[in-house]
Coordinates of all heavy atoms in Angstrom, one line a residue:
Q2 N -17.9 6.9 7.4 CA -17.7 8.3 7.1 C -16.2 8.7 7.0 O -15.9 9.8 6.5 CB -18.4 9.2 8.1 CG -19.9 8.9 8.3 CD -20.7 9.3 7.0 OE1 -20.3 10.1 6.2 NE2 -21.8 8.6 6.8
C3 N -15.3 7.9 7.5 CA -13.9 8.3 7.6 C -13.0 7.4 6.7 O -13.4 6.3 6.3 CB -13.4 8.2 9.1 SG -14.4 9.2 10.2
K4 N -11.8 7.9 6.5 CA -10.9 7.1 5.7 C -9.6 6.8 6.6 O -9.1 7.7 7.2 CB -10.4 8.0 4.5 CG -9.4 7.3 3.6 CD -9.1 8.2 2.4 CE -8.1 7.5 1.5 NZ -7.7 8.3 0.3
D5 N -9.2 5.6 6.6 CA -8.1 5.2 7.4 C -6.8 5.4 6.7 O -6.7 5.2 5.5 CB -8.2 3.7 7.8 CG -9.2 3.4 8.8 OD1 -9.7 4.3 9.4 OD2 -9.6 2.2 8.9
L6 N -5.8 5.9 7.4 CA -4.5 6.0 6.8 C -3.8 4.6 6.7 O -3.1 4.3 5.8 CB -3.6 6.9 7.6 CG -3.9 8.4 7.5 CD1 -3.1 9.2 8.5 CD2 -3.6 8.9 6.1
V7 N -4.1 3.8 7.8 CA -3.6 2.4 7.8 C -4.9 1.6 8.1 O -5.6 1.9 9.0 CB -2.6 2.2 8.9 CG1 -2.1 0.8 9.0 CG2 -1.3 3.1 8.7
T8 N -5.0 0.5 7.4 CA -6.2 -0.3 7.6 C -6.2 -1.0 9.0 O -5.2 -1.5 9.4 CB -6.2 -1.4 6.5 OG1 -6.2 -0.8 5.2 CG2 -7.5 -2.3 6.7
T9 N -7.3 -0.9 9.7 CA -7.4 -1.4 11.0 C -8.7 -2.2 11.1 O -9.6 -2.0 10.3 CB -7.4 -0.3 12.1 OG1 -8.5 0.6 11.8 CG2 -6.1 0.5 12.1
S10 N -8.8 -3.0 12.1 CA -10.0 -3.8 12.4 C -10.6 -3.2 13.7 O -10.0 -2.4 14.4 CB -9.7 -5.3 12.6 OG -8.9 -5.4 13.8
N11 N -11.9 -3.5 13.9 CA -12.6 -3.0 15.1 C -11.9 -3.4 16.4 O -11.7 -2.7 17.4 CB -14.0 -3.4 15.2 CG -14.8 -2.7 14.1 OD1 -14.4 -1.7 13.5 ND2 -16.1 -3.1 13.9
G12 N -11.5 -4.7 16.4 CA -10.8 -5.2 17.6 C -9.4 -4.5 17.8 O -9.0 -4.3 19.0
N13 N -8.8 -4.2 16.7 CA -7.5 -3.6 16.8 C -7.5 -2.2 17.5 O -6.7 -1.9 18.4 CB -6.9 -3.5 15.4 CG -5.4 -3.0 15.4 OD1 -5.1 -2.1 14.7 ND2 -4.6 -3.6 16.3
V14 N -8.5 -1.4 17.1 CA -8.6 0.0 17.6 C -9.1 -0.1 19.1 O -8.8 0.8 19.9 CB -9.5 0.9 16.8 CG1 -8.8 1.2 15.4 CG2 -10.9 0.3 16.5
V15 N -10.0 -1.0 19.4 CA -10.5 -1.1 20.8 C -9.3 -1.6 21.7 O -9.2 -1.1 22.8 CB -11.7 -2.1 20.9 CG1 -12.0 -2.4 22.3 CG2 -12.9 -1.5 20.1
I16 N -8.5 -2.5 21.2 CA -7.3 -2.9 22.0 C -6.4 -1.8 22.2 O -5.6 -1.7 23.2 CB -6.6 -4.1 21.3 CG1 -7.4 -5.4 21.5 CG2 -5.2 -4.3 21.8 CD1 -7.5 -5.9 22.9
S17 N -6.3 -0.8 21.2 CA -5.5 0.4 21.4 C -6.1 1.3 22.4 O -5.3 2.0 23.1 CB -5.4 1.1 20.0 OG -4.8 0.3 19.1
L18 N -7.4 1.3 22.6 CA -8.1 2.2 23.5 C -7.8 1.8 25.0 O -7.5 2.6 25.8 CB -9.6 2.2 23.2 CG -10.5 3.2 24.0 CD1 -11.7 3.4 23.2 CD2 -10.9 2.7 25.4
T19 N -7.9 0.5 25.2 CA -7.9 0.0 26.6 C -6.6 0.3 27.4 O -6.6 0.8 28.5 CB -8.2 -1.5 26.7 OG1 -7.4 -2.2 25.8 CG2 -9.6 -1.7 26.3
P20 N -5.4 0.0 26.8 CA -4.2 0.3 27.6 C -4.0 1.8 27.8 O -3.4 2.2 28.9 CB -3.0 -0.3 26.8 CG -3.5 -0.4 25.4 CD -5.0 -0.6 25.6
L21 N -4.4 2.6 26.9 CA -4.2 4.1 27.0 C -5.1 4.6 28.1 O -4.7 5.4 29.0 CB -4.6 4.7 25.7 CG -4.5 6.3 25.6 CD1 -3.1 6.7 26.0 CD2 -4.9 6.8 24.3
L22 N -6.4 4.0 28.2 CA -7.3 4.4 29.2 C -6.8 4.0 30.6 O -6.8 4.7 31.6 CB -8.7 3.8 28.9 CG -9.8 4.0 30.0 CD1 -10.1 5.5 30.2 CD2 -11.0 3.2 29.6
E23 N -6.3 2.7 30.7 CA -5.8 2.2 32.0 C -4.6 3.0 32.5 O -4.5 3.3 33.7 CB -5.4 0.8 31.8 CG -4.9 0.1 33.1 CD -4.5 -1.3 32.9 OE1 -4.9 -1.9 31.8 OE2 -3.9 -1.9 33.8
M24 N -3.7 3.4 31.6 CA -2.6 4.2 32.0 C -3.0 5.6 32.5 O -2.4 6.1 33.5 CB -1.7 4.4 30.8 CG -0.4 5.3 31.0 SD -0.7 7.0 30.7 CE -1.0 7.0 28.9
L25 N -4.1 6.2 32.0 CA -4.5 7.5 32.4 C -5.2 7.5 33.7 O -5.1 8.5 34.5 CB -5.4 8.1 31.3 CG -4.8 8.5 30.0 CD1 -5.8 8.9 29.0 CD2 -3.8 9.7 30.2
I26 N -6.0 6.4 34.0 CA -6.8 6.5 35.2 C -6.2 5.7 36.4 O -6.6 5.9 37.5 CB -8.2 5.9 34.9 CG1 -8.1 4.4 34.5 CG2 -8.9 6.7 33.9 CD1 -9.5 3.8 34.2
F27 N -5.2 4.8 36.2 CA -4.8 3.9 37.2 C -4.1 4.7 38.4 O -4.4 4.5 39.5 CB -3.9 2.9 36.7 CG -3.3 2.0 37.8 CD1 -4.1 1.3 38.6 CD2 -1.9 1.9 38.0 CE1 -3.6 0.5 39.7 CE2 -1.4 1.2 39.0 CZ -2.2 0.4 39.8
D28 N -3.2 5.6 38.0 CA -2.4 6.3 39.0 C -3.3 7.2 39.9 O -3.1 7.3 41.1 CB -1.3 7.2 38.4 CG -0.2 6.3 37.8 OD1 0.0 5.2 38.3 OD2 0.5 6.8 37.0
V29 N -4.3 7.8 39.2 CA -5.2 8.7 40.0 C -6.0 7.9 41.0 O -6.2 8.3 42.2 CB -6.1 9.5 39.0 CG1 -7.1 10.3 39.8 CG2 -5.3 10.3 38.1
V30 N -6.6 6.8 40.6 CA -7.4 5.9 41.4 C -6.6 5.3 42.5 O -7.0 5.2 43.7 CB -8.1 4.8 40.6 CG1 -8.9 3.9 41.5 CG2 -9.0 5.5 39.6
R31 N -5.3 4.9 42.2 CA -4.5 4.3 43.2 C -4.1 5.3 44.3 O -4.0 4.9 45.5 CB -3.2 3.7 42.6 CG -2.3 3.0 43.5 CD -1.1 2.5 42.8 NE -0.4 3.6 42.1 CZ 0.7 3.4 41.4 NH1 1.2 2.2 41.2 NH2 1.3 4.4 40.8
E32 N -3.8 6.5 44.0 CA -3.3 7.5 45.0 C -4.4 7.9 45.9 O -4.2 8.0 47.1 CB -2.8 8.7 44.2 CG -1.5 8.5 43.5 CD -1.1 9.7 42.6 OE1 -1.8 10.7 42.7 OE2 -0.1 9.6 41.9
D33 N -5.6 8.0 45.5 CA -6.7 8.4 46.3 C -8.0 7.8 45.9 O -8.8 8.4 45.1 CB -6.9 10.0 46.3 CG -7.9 10.4 47.4 OD1 -8.4 9.6 48.1 OD2 -8.2 11.7 47.4
P34 N -8.3 6.5 46.3 CA -9.5 5.8 45.8 C -10.8 6.5 46.2 O -11.8 6.3 45.5 CB -9.4 4.5 46.5 CG -8.0 4.3 46.9 CD -7.5 5.7 47.2
N35 N -10.8 7.4 47.2 CA -12.0 8.1 47.6 C -12.2 9.5 47.1 O -13.1 10.2 47.5 CB -12.1 8.1 49.2 CG -12.1 6.7 49.8 OD1 -12.8 5.8 49.3 ND2 -11.3 6.5 50.8
N36 N -11.3 9.9 46.2 CA -11.4 11.2 45.6 C -12.8 11.4 44.9 O -13.1 10.5 44.0 CB -10.2 11.4 44.6 CG -10.1 12.9 44.2 OD1 -11.1 13.6 44.1 ND2 -8.9 13.3 43.9
K37 N -13.4 12.4 45.2 CA -14.8 12.6 44.6 C -14.7 13.0 43.1 O -15.7 13.0 42.4 CB -15.5 13.7 45.4 CG -14.9 15.1 45.3 CD -15.7 16.1 46.1 CE -15.0 17.5 46.0 NZ -15.7 18.5 46.7
N38 N -13.5 13.4 42.6 CA -13.4 13.7 41.2 C -12.9 12.6 40.3 O -12.7 12.8 39.2 CB -12.4 14.9 41.1 CG -12.8 16.2 41.8 OD1 -14.0 16.5 41.7 ND2 -11.9 16.8 42.4
I39 N -12.8 11.4 40.9 CA -12.4 10.2 40.1 C -13.3 9.9 39.0 O -12.9 9.6 37.8 CB -12.2 9.0 41.0 CG1 -11.0 9.2 41.9 CG2 -12.1 7.7 40.2 CD1 -10.7 8.0 42.8
R40 N -14.6 10.1 39.2 CA -15.6 9.8 38.2 C -15.4 10.7 37.0 O -15.4 10.3 35.8 CB -17.0 9.9 38.8 CG -18.1 9.5 37.9 CD -19.5 9.8 38.5 NE -20.6 9.4 37.7 CZ -21.1 8.2 37.6 NH1 -20.5 7.2 38.2 NH2 -22.1 8.0 36.8
I41 N -15.2 12.0 37.3 CA -15.0 12.9 36.2 C -13.7 12.6 35.5 O -13.6 12.8 34.2 CB -15.0 14.4 36.8 CG1 -16.3 14.7 37.6 CG2 -14.9 15.4 35.6 CD1 -17.6 14.5 36.8
W42 N -12.7 12.2 36.2 CA -11.4 11.9 35.6 C -11.5 10.7 34.6 O -10.9 10.7 33.6 CB -10.4 11.7 36.6 CG -9.0 11.4 36.1 CD1 -8.4 10.1 36.0 CD2 -8.1 12.3 35.5 NE1 -7.2 10.2 35.4 CE2 -7.0 11.5 35.1 CE3 -8.1 13.7 35.3 CZ2 -5.9 12.1 34.5 CZ3 -7.0 14.3 34.7 CH2 -5.9 13.5 34.3
I43 N -12.3 9.7 35.1 CA -12.5 8.5 34.2 C -13.3 8.9 32.9 O -12.9 8.5 31.8 CB -13.3 7.5 35.0 CG1 -12.5 6.9 36.1 CG2 -13.8 6.3 34.0 CD1 -13.2 5.8 36.9
L44 N -14.3 9.8 33.0 CA -15.0 10.3 31.9 C -14.1 11.0 30.9 O -14.1 10.8 29.7 CB -16.1 11.2 32.3 CG -17.2 10.6 33.1 CD1 -18.2 11.7 33.6 CD2 -18.0 9.5 32.4
A45 N -13.3 11.9 31.4 CA -12.3 12.7 30.6 C -11.3 11.8 30.0 O -10.9 11.9 28.8 CB -11.7 13.8 31.4
S46 N -10.8 10.9 30.7 CA -9.7 9.9 30.2 C -10.3 9.1 29.1 O -9.6 8.8 28.1 CB -9.2 9.1 31.4 OG -8.6 9.9 32.4

């Protein structure tokens, strides 16, 4: 349904997703592993 500005592969965009996700959630989980809001933060990230 969509049109790419730059041609990409499925593996390429998934590889782009993983480091961005890790960057967003790592600091929060490391600072307080028992925080009850971590699950919600992972979902939003």
Side-chain angles (χ1 to χ4, degrees):
Q2 305 293 334
C3 301
K4 181 179 179 181
D5 288 345
L6 288 173
V7 178
T8 303
T9 59
S10 64
N11 290 351
N13 187 228
V14 293
V15 171
I16 287 294
S17 300
L18 186 157
T19 50
L21 182 59
L22 176 61
E23 182 177 349
M24 180 269 296
L25 290 173
I26 64 179
F27 175 59
D28 287 339
V29 177
V30 175
R31 181 181 58 181
E32 291 173 2
D33 186 5
N35 298 319
N36 190 329
K37 63 180 181 180
N38 295 320
I39 286 180
R40 185 181 181 86
I41 305 300
W42 180 258
I43 291 177
L44 297 173
S46 299

